[in-house]
Amino acid sequence: MSSVIVTIGPTHTLRQAARLMSARRVGAAVVFDPDTPLPGILTERDILNSVGAGQNPDLETAQAHTTTSVVCAAPECPLEEAAAAMVRGGFRHLIVLDDQGPAGVLSVRDIVRIWIPSQRSTDALPV
């Protein structure tokens, strides 16, 4: 899990979100909307889909592209359960919530890094 959490509001533009995500090298931002009890998530794919559809990232807001029906996990959630939830739901980022709010974001990349031994990380992929 990455403890680097990019948080934005629903009125941030997609360009602002992309800049923050890029600067912190993360693929998702947690979106806090004061009108909703749980956070939403804006991913790099959401931004890519918007730009690919010809929308202007300086005019489009996070609110219009945020997934609000997110699946969250507690910090003590077993990795296998988190991975299974991601596969079932077809998403690549899982917000980890503790009593104070977001504790981190778990990505598919995080899971792969944990499950693959470090000595194999430098092996070349078969062509």
Side-chain angles (χ1 to χ4, degrees):
M1 169 183 86
S2 173
S3 59
V4 175
I5 305 170
V6 172
T7 59
I8 61 173
T11 60
H12 276 79
T13 67
L14 293 187
R15 186 174 309 278
Q16 290 170 323
R19 280 189 184 133
L20 291 169
M21 291 163 59
S22 178
R24 289 168 182 84
R25 300 180 52 87
V26 297
V30 177
V31 182
F32 285 104
D33 184 342
D35 296 331
T36 59
L38 291 175
I41 193 163
L42 178 75
T43 68
E44 56 199 357
R45 183 171 290 170
D46 297 325
I47 296 169
L48 182 67
N49 287 340
S50 174
V51 171
Q55 296 173 335
N56 185 336
D58 293 314
L59 299 177
E60 291 295 314
T61 62
Q63 182 176 19
H65 301 277
T66 296
T67 300
T68 55
S69 58
V70 296
V71 175
C72 298
E76 60 275 359
C77 177
L79 190 60
E80 291 80 9
E81 285 182 29
M86 294 166 86
V87 170
R88 264 192 319 275
F91 53 88
R92 298 180 296 149
H93 298 90
L94 180 74
I95 300 173
V96 179
L97 294 176
D98 63 16
D99 293 336
Q100 285 77 46
V105 176
L106 180 68
S107 71
V108 169
R109 180 176 294 161
D110 296 325
I111 294 170
V112 170
R113 284 181 181 150
I114 291 167
W115 284 349
I116 302 297
S118 61
Q119 66 268 20
R120 297 174 73 190
S121 64
T122 59
D123 292 347
L125 293 174
V127 179

